[in-house]
Amino acid sequence: MDLQAILDDIHDSLSPRRGEGRVADYIPQLAHVDPKKFGIAVVTVDGAVHLAGDAQEPFSIQSISKVFTLTLALGKHGEAIWKRVGREPSGSAFNSIVQLEYEGGIPRNPFINAGAIAITDLVLAGHTPKEAIGEVVRFMRYLADEDDIIVDQDVARSEQATGFRNFALANFLRSFGKLDHAAELVLGVYFHQCALAMSCRQLARAGLFLANSGVNPLTGHRVVSHLRARRINAMMLTCGHYDGSGDFAYRVGLPGKSGVGGGILAVAPGKASVAVWSPGLNDNGNSLLGSLALEMLAARTGWSIFGA
Ligand code: DON
């Protein structure tokens, strides 16, 4: 299989559609991104890297960071995290508040905003916000095995100034006694993790442990156990695209996590880690062209968790 030829072909056939979809503008700084950007990176478990388009340009990873804070929180607190968040798809928008009241402040899953804020609260345990942000950044550098991964401070500040709904979610959690730290402290960390700037190549490298039973094949480091890697993949499959998770599983057939910056990380267990980036979003807030690119990649490679 000539992966590079497949990527080039996907890139070329989708290129005329660059700019489709709606760029997220509720975080003002994200609206400044060129809507025509489009990149794909595939890193296989044997370390081969294939790139197409704008795969080396950093973008705001936003909610894709939730996969990595979930991994950190599991490392710190183990299965006890499931007392604070559920493991069910929400069927609601990523920033919805409606279920939180009648479900007593236990967010449906760790990937909707309410759940991710609860997870970040757990990552913050025993740290100052600055230390927790440092821990997340170091974790990403360790996973990608690259030192030049940074937080885009303009994006973090932009969300800090406008993230009223996240403040509402955090305060709501706190009112149920389900947030250990003040909303401002937890969101300080959350906005910075979301503002991590990474390229498709870096993101695919960082996600590779999930494709390789918990071991990063680039460094030989075991990041999580085999079982935990499977379970994180299960969460990505069922909840990673919010109310679009079923559609993504149907079309792509791989665990994936999207972000409103237009990125998607997808995992082909035993095969590869894939990152795509195109800022225009579909109605569920997931990258429109990115989802199409992954659908084409899965069809062309035969990669699917549902059978060969
Ligand atoms: O909290 C927010 O709204 C953003 N920082 C992240 C949301 C996001 O990426 C949703 N994913 N598609």
Side-chain angles (χ1 to χ4, degrees):
M1 182 162 65
D2 187 345
L3 265 175
Q4 188 60 49
I6 292 175
L7 282 200
D8 290 339
D9 193 48
I10 293 171
H11 180 264
D12 293 348
S13 54
L14 288 178
S15 258
R17 298 184 59 180
R18 283 183 300 165
E20 278 186 27
R22 275 202 57 187
V23 175
D25 56 7
Y26 74 97
I27 301 171
Q29 194 64 25
L30 292 185
H32 299 158
V33 175
D34 177 356
K36 298 216 155 164
K37 292 290 177 186
F38 178 38
I40 318 175
V42 174
V43 184
T44 59
V45 291
D46 49 22
V49 179
H50 301 281
L51 309 174
D54 303 309
Q56 305 249 49
E57 193 171 320
F59 62 92
S60 194
I61 73 166
Q62 292 297 322
S63 288
I64 303 171
S65 66
K66 297 167 179 176
V67 173
F68 301 102
T69 45
L70 171 64
T71 306
L72 275 177
L74 280 165
K76 276 179 101 141
H77 304 277
E79 296 292 309
I81 70 158
W82 302 115
K83 292 189 197 120
R84 297 281 293 273
V85 295
R87 294 196 292 264
E88 295 297 341
S90 69
S92 309
F94 65 89
N95 55 5
S96 174
I97 201 167
V98 290
Q99 287 164 342
L100 207 50
E101 174 152 34
Y102 58 81
E103 293 179 2
I106 305 292
R108 274 285 175 99
N109 66 65
F111 294 151
I112 52 172
N113 283 9
I117 290 166
I119 292 294
T120 296
D121 186 49
L122 294 172
V123 172
L124 183 54
H127 290 302
T128 63
K130 209 171 174 176
E131 287 166 353
I133 294 164
E135 186 180 9
V136 176
V137 174
R138 275 195 305 280
F139 189 49
M140 299 313 295
R141 290 177 180 168
Y142 160 76
L143 290 177
D145 198 27
E146 291 199 13
D147 281 336
D148 61 346
I149 295 168
I150 54 156
V151 170
D152 183 330
Q153 296 294 341
D154 291 336
V155 173
R157 265 193 296 271
S158 183
E159 192 169 12
Q160 185 86 42
T162 56
F164 308 117
R165 193 176 265 263
N166 283 326
F167 277 101
L169 290 169
N171 281 308
F172 214 53
L173 285 168
R174 185 101 159 138
S175 77
F176 280 106
K178 301 295 183 195
L179 204 68
D180 296 332
H181 305 86
E184 305 76 66
L185 301 183
V186 182
L187 290 177
V189 181
Y190 174 78
F191 294 144
H192 281 78
Q193 77 181 56
C194 289
L196 276 159
M198 293 174 69
S199 67
C200 289
R201 191 179 61 84
Q202 290 172 327
L203 203 51
R205 285 168 66 94
L208 202 52
F209 74 98
L210 292 170
N212 193 49
S213 306
V215 174
N216 183 343
L218 301 172
T219 59
H221 295 155
R222 174 164 290 286
V223 181
V224 295
S225 69
H226 184 177
L227 180 61
R228 185 158 289 167
R230 274 195 196 173
R231 288 174 161 174
I232 295 168
N233 286 336
M235 297 310 305
M236 289 171 73
L237 183 85
T238 52
C239 309
H241 281 71
Y242 316 107
D243 44 343
S245 297
D247 185 56
F248 187 83
Y250 180 85
R251 286 167 47 196
V252 180
L254 298 173
K257 182 75 209 79
S258 64
V260 286
I264 302 175
L265 171 67
V267 176
K271 310 278 189 206
S273 170
V274 185
V276 293
W277 173 46
S278 167
L281 308 179
N282 62 22
D283 290 342
N284 296 322
N286 304 315
S287 176
L288 194 149
L289 236 55
S291 313
L292 281 173
L294 288 170
E295 188 175 355
M296 291 171 79
L297 181 68
R300 297 282 295 272
T301 55
W303 293 344
S304 166
I305 61 162
F306 297 109

